Amino acid sequence: MTSHELFKRYTVKLPHNLGKPLYIQPIDVKKQFFKEIMTRIGVLVFLLFGSLVALVMAYSTWQTNNVWHGIIALLFSGFWVATYAWVRSFLHVSLYAIADKGIARYTLHVNGRVVDAEIFYFSPSQRCEVKEGYVDPHSPVSKKGYKIEATWYEENRHVFTMAYLRGEEPLCDKKALEEAVKAFEMYTYTHKA
């Protein structure tokens, strides 16, 4: 996908100071959303269950004045915030655009409207670390979630992260991460002097 096609399809315009576009994810937002719909619904059901437990325990505390029910309600109250955040981002899909001077991450609504844009510019003082490993290395049962993550730091301060799960990602996520790391290496190589 070229930057012209990106603008034509999603009305997204890359900033000029981001440099020449090297890679733009070729995803169709609606297809990507419907591909992930069952996972999103599963997470929503889990969060709603936790929120329901918090609600029932809070009601039980009010009716019986039992302190332990109140403590359980407080412990599960975080599910309300997580449910709210998940519902707000339920219809959103991320799209990466890699350029020779930085990375743009766009959050798009299912209908193609841009919800949020995060622009990250490369700097010679930054460093990039690529980490690979299981999401939960201590689990003796599940070795499914193998995560590959690229993190950019500036003076030991986290600046930007890209990640994907191997085997579950669309191929464009893997390609976007590889292109981003290559673009950063080229940028630091040319700006080292």
Side-chain angles (χ1 to χ4, degrees):
M1 179 184 295
T2 64
S3 59
H4 179 66
E5 291 171 356
L6 178 72
F7 178 71
K8 193 171 156 184
R9 187 185 287 182
Y10 303 118
T11 64
V12 172
K13 189 161 171 76
L14 289 174
H16 291 291
N17 53 354
L18 202 60
K20 183 181 120 199
L22 301 175
Y23 178 76
I24 299 171
Q25 282 184 312
I27 61 172
D28 183 15
V29 175
K30 288 185 180 181
K31 284 182 184 175
Q32 183 70 21
F33 172 74
F34 286 114
K35 190 176 175 183
E36 300 171 352
I37 190 76
M38 293 310 291
T39 304
R40 291 172 186 250
I41 290 173
V43 170
L44 184 62
V45 167
F46 174 74
L47 292 173
L48 287 173
F49 177 75
S51 299
L52 183 67
V53 169
L55 182 68
V56 167
M57 293 314 262
Y59 181 75
S60 175
T61 302
W62 178 48
Q63 291 297 317
T64 63
N65 294 326
N66 189 338
V67 175
W68 293 108
H69 290 191
I71 291 172
I72 293 171
L74 282 175
L75 289 175
F76 277 85
S77 65
F79 278 95
W80 284 104
V81 177
T83 303
Y84 173 73
W86 187 255
V87 167
R88 275 197 67 189
S89 67
F90 189 79
L91 299 173
H92 297 167
V93 175
S94 291
L95 174 96
Y96 287 99
I98 314 300
D100 59 353
K101 294 181 183 174
I103 303 168
R105 178 181 6 211
Y106 296 102
T107 304
L108 303 171
H109 194 270
V110 172
N111 64 10
R113 177 176 44 97
V114 177
V115 176
D116 188 28
E118 182 181 355
I119 310 294
F120 169 64
Y121 296 100
F122 297 144
S123 167
S125 63
Q126 296 170 348
R127 73 182 198 289
C128 176
E129 291 181 4
V130 178
K131 296 179 185 173
E132 296 184 24
Y134 290 103
V135 175
D136 185 11
H138 304 296
S139 172
V141 179
S142 172
K143 294 291 184 190
K144 183 180 179 190
Y146 193 78
K147 186 176 186 180
I148 299 169
E149 178 180 73
T151 307
W152 281 264
Y153 296 97
E154 187 160 10
E155 299 172 2
N156 294 332
R157 184 176 55 91
H158 169 268
V159 182
F160 190 78
T161 300
M162 287 180 74
Y164 71 92
L165 289 174
R166 188 174 69 195
E168 297 177 12
E169 81 285 351
L171 288 173
C172 55
D173 282 358
K174 178 181 180 180
K175 181 117 170 89
L177 187 128
E178 290 170 352
E179 289 293 326
V181 171
K182 274 198 278 187
F184 180 72
E185 288 171 354
M186 286 300 292
Y187 180 85
T188 54
Y189 180 73
T190 56
H191 289 84
K192 229 172 198 178

